[in-house]
Amino acid sequence: MSLPRFEYLAAQTVAEACSLLSQYGKAAKVIAGGTDLLVKMKERELTPKYVVSLKGITDLDYIDYDKVKGLRIGALTSNDSIAGSVIIQKRFGLLSEAAAKIGTPQIRNMGTIGGNLCNAAPSADTAPPLIALGARVKLVSPKGERTVPLEEFFTGPGETVLQIDELLTEIQVPKPMPGARGVYLKLFPRGAVDIAAVGVAVLLILGEDGACSDAKIVLGAVAPTPIRAKKAEAIVKGKQYKNGVIEKAAETAAKEARPISDVRCSADYRREMVEVLTRRALVQIFKAR
């Protein structure tokens, strides 16, 4: 199927892109890697009259780490660059794990982290680990800029807090706490390059005695947006590795999920797999200590 007709506008700066979005409003859509937008346009889910390309804004492609301020990732950084970054692998391992599980090598090379987040699919692989890591996103418009916790960025399937003239330009991740250990696990229902039917990101802060002082359990593809399983987190906090604790936390996470049935799998199966993946992630982290 061919693409609908549209006017292609190549922005060279963030200010120019925001100005174009302000000018054309709902008739315009942003394109970075195009791995989501072009598919939706071919299927006529979206038919923008104007497509604003960000490819010319080369200063939005970067990975920068500071020992005090933490990690900064430009919105146009490819998922492949994130998966292959030594600093991310070393200090933010669950994020590199998630990026490496996105689609095929071609998709990872084309797709950007900003696009993965702004597409706002409940199954977006980078969202659960970034929420677990306490990430914030920088949003820029002609009126100025603001930062928003990623946990508050998503409002529904395909929907975010982005205003019509705003761009997501940067992802900011704080320096990990001492003892932080994380895992991202994903259910592939039909093959190794499929969209996640369930995604689970778990981040624990473990003390020298093995007790968990803090926990983040974030679920993807089982609610309208990525969600934290806060009741399950509370069960793990202050506890050491015990099967009873892990089983109860995993069961609780499954109850907190709000899945639907679709072509990938049923709601019941999704809920069951939330329990399985949460349990696996918790065991993996505690045992790796």
Side-chain angles (χ1 to χ4, degrees), residues 17-282:
C18 291
S19 177
L20 290 169
L21 292 175
S22 180
Q23 180 179 352
Y24 294 113
K26 293 182 179 180
K29 289 292 179 183
V30 168
I31 189 169
T35 55
D36 290 310
L37 180 63
L38 294 179
V39 172
K40 290 182 177 181
M41 288 176 66
K42 283 185 177 181
E43 295 177 352
R44 299 308 193 266
E45 291 182 31
L46 294 173
T47 55
K49 294 181 180 179
Y50 304 93
V51 172
V52 180
S53 173
L54 307 182
K55 276 298 185 182
I57 312 176
T58 55
D59 58 358
L60 289 184
D61 182 357
Y62 58 86
I63 296 172
D64 181 69
Y65 179 73
D66 180 273
K67 291 182 179 180
V68 176
K69 297 180 179 179
L71 180 69
R72 296 167 52 249
I73 306 174
L76 292 188
T77 305
S78 73
N79 294 307
D80 188 65
S81 294
I82 292 166
S85 166
V86 174
I87 192 65
I88 294 178
Q89 291 172 359
K90 181 179 179 181
R91 299 185 180 275
F92 307 89
L94 70 170
L95 177 56
S96 63
E97 288 176 14
K101 293 174 181 175
I102 296 175
T104 63
Q106 294 90 338
I107 293 294
R108 289 193 293 274
N109 271 298
M110 289 291 295
T112 64
I113 188 168
N116 193 243
L117 296 176
C118 290
N119 189 48
S123 58
D125 284 302
T126 61
L130 283 169
I131 291 173
L133 288 163
R136 301 176 66 87
V137 288
K138 184 166 77 172
L139 311 179
V140 178
S141 75
K143 297 182 287 291
E145 64 180 57
R146 59 181 176 137
T147 58
V148 176
L150 186 61
E151 188 175 350
E152 300 173 8
F153 179 69
F154 306 103
T155 58
E159 299 176 353
T160 71
V161 299
L162 275 171
Q163 299 298 309
I164 205 163
D165 58 352
E166 275 187 316
L167 281 181
L168 188 159
T169 61
E170 183 178 90
I171 298 93
Q172 303 167 351
V173 187
K175 178 183 176 182
M177 295 287 290
R181 301 176 189 276
V183 171
Y184 176 72
L185 299 179
K186 173 180 177 178
L187 173 66
F188 302 96
R190 295 177 297 193
V193 299
D194 206 353
I195 296 170
V198 177
V200 176
V202 177
L203 182 73
L204 305 182
I205 310 298
L206 300 180
E208 292 184 4
D209 61 352
C212 173
S213 62
D214 196 15
K216 298 286 179 60
I217 301 173
V218 188
L219 313 177
V222 293
T225 67
I227 59 169
R228 281 179 56 192
K230 294 184 179 181
K231 293 179 181 178
E233 293 173 358
I235 291 170
V236 179
K237 289 180 183 178
K239 305 296 195 307
Q240 293 178 318
Y241 174 50
K242 295 178 182 178
N243 283 331
V245 170
I246 289 175
E247 291 294 335
K248 186 177 180 181
E251 291 171 4
T252 302
K255 292 176 182 177
E256 293 183 81
R258 306 194 304 275
I260 61 169
S261 297
D262 59 18
V263 295
R264 292 194 289 281
C265 57
S266 69
D268 287 341
Y269 184 63
R270 277 193 165 99
R271 190 173 287 107
E272 180 181 344
M273 291 309 298
V274 167
E275 181 176 345
V276 170
L277 296 183
T278 302
R279 181 172 59 250
R280 286 179 185 173
L282 288 170

Side-chain angles (χ1 to χ4, degrees), residues 4-17:
R5 295 183 64 84
F6 63 91
E7 185 173 345
Y8 181 83
L9 305 171
Q12 300 301 309
T13 65
V14 169
E16 182 182 2

